[in-house]
Amino acid sequence: MRIHVNDPLDKSAMERLKNSGYNVTSEHLEKEELIKEIPNIDVLVVRSATKVTADIIEAGKNLKIIARAGTGLDNVDVEKAKEKGIKVINTPGANGISVAELAIGLMISCARHIAKGTIDLKNGEWTKKQLKGHELYKRTVGIIGFGNIGREVAKRLLAFDMRVLAYDPFVKETDMNVEIVDLDTIFKESDFITIHVPLTNETKHLVSKDAFEKMKDGVILINAARGGVVDEEALYNALISGKVYAAGLDVFEVEPPTDELRKKLLELPNVVATPHIGASTVEAQLRVGQIIVDKILEEVKKL
């Protein structure tokens, strides 16, 4: 039984895996190399860097389990794996707190010009009078996606004394002081909108030109979920028109965001951005690593 870890896991998780008695290898293989090696692999472990495409899965003659250390499965061809009888496992919720904290950090940074103030000071500029921002207190925030991460965001924003709205087609009620509403209500009533849904055919460009037209003037938009949920060309136009006051982005439809559209988006002074670091904390990676190892060892016993 060979378990191959193609993207790095937390050190303690790797030690547990290597001490499990199985043949464990750990090396990042690019797609062509992975296709050559995959026939010799029983369990493939990845994070977001490796795209487990249909041709990789097709070549995996002995592949039994694909273990995604993280929440989203948009980098795994789940339908192809299902067709081949390959089990796909992941770690939903393990990085929820880290992503929630980053989303709120981006929200505050957008509202209070933290990033711009830092850059200005480092450039020797004292721009105090130009950086008048907004409070979160008593404002309305709309959360798109009310799963584990959305709920963690809501818990923290309730502490800011915000009115919290949430939209999720799979959630009809909640025990939290949160109003479950439809998507149009999120767009029309929110001063802040934060996105916490996976990228699927249904959510691609969910936040579109039409959605921006429904929003309040001066809305602040946060995307720490998946690139592609927001139509970034429509976002760019909304930012330069003033419809969107500011955007905080941890994810992009093209990553790294080096194409012309993403470059001009990042050049805007009202965009705060980070390089897909929502789950990049010591604590989240420890949890993700330990949980995925638990699941791998449990599933391997069944084989």
Side-chain angles (χ1 to χ4, degrees), residues 199 203-206 223 226-232 251-254:
L199 179 63
T203 63
K204 184 173 175 63
H205 290 183
L206 182 69
N223 187 9
R226 281 293 182 268
V229 176
V230 177
D231 180 338
E232 289 166 355
V251 292
F252 300 88
E253 191 161 1
V254 176

Side-chain angles (χ1 to χ4, degrees), residues 3 16-17 20-22 65 89 292-302:
I3 301 171
R16 275 189 65 206
L17 205 52
S20 65
Y22 299 106
I65 299 168
I89 56 177
I292 202 65
V293 169
D294 287 342
K295 289 190 170 187
I296 289 166
L297 297 180
E298 181 182 340
E299 291 298 328
V300 166
K301 284 179 185 175
K302 299 175 186 176

Side-chain angles (χ1 to χ4, degrees), residues 212-228:
F212 285 115
E213 289 173 355
K214 295 174 184 176
M215 293 178 194
K216 287 183 176 183
D217 291 344
V219 67
I220 290 176
L221 180 77
I222 308 300
N223 187 9
R226 281 293 182 268

Side-chain angles (χ1 to χ4, degrees), residues 204-209 212 221 223 226-239 249-255 257-259 261-266 268 271:
K204 184 173 175 63
H205 290 183
L206 182 69
V207 182
S208 61
K209 181 176 181 289
F212 285 115
L221 180 77
N223 187 9
R226 281 293 182 268
V229 176
V230 177
D231 180 338
E232 289 166 355
E233 185 167 6
L235 172 60
Y236 175 81
N237 291 328
L239 283 160
L249 307 173
D250 184 49
V251 292
F252 300 88
E253 191 161 1
V254 176
E255 293 183 0
T258 53
D259 65 312
L261 172 58
R262 259 51 63 167
K263 281 181 181 176
K264 68 179 186 178
L265 184 63
L266 288 168
L268 294 177
V271 170

Side-chain angles (χ1 to χ4, degrees), residues 1-5 9 12-24 43-45 65-67 87 89-91 288-303:
M1 175 69 64
R2 179 181 171 192
I3 301 171
H4 180 73
V5 182
L9 292 181
S12 62
M14 278 302 304
E15 287 175 359
R16 275 189 65 206
L17 205 52
K18 287 180 176 178
N19 291 332
S20 65
Y22 299 106
N23 175 20
V24 177
V43 180
L44 177 64
V45 186
I65 299 168
I66 298 169
K87 180 92 172 181
I89 56 177
N90 64 337
T91 59
V288 166
Q290 294 297 339
I291 292 171
I292 202 65
V293 169
D294 287 342
K295 289 190 170 187
I296 289 166
L297 297 180
E298 181 182 340
E299 291 298 328
V300 166
K301 284 179 185 175
K302 299 175 186 176
L303 297 175

Side-chain angles (χ1 to χ4, degrees), residues 10 40 66 72 76 78 117 175 251 256 260 268-269 273-274 284 287 295:
D10 173 78
N40 304 315
I66 298 169
V76 177
V78 176
D175 57 354
V251 292
E260 287 307 309
L268 294 177
T274 47
R287 282 193 296 270
K295 289 190 170 187

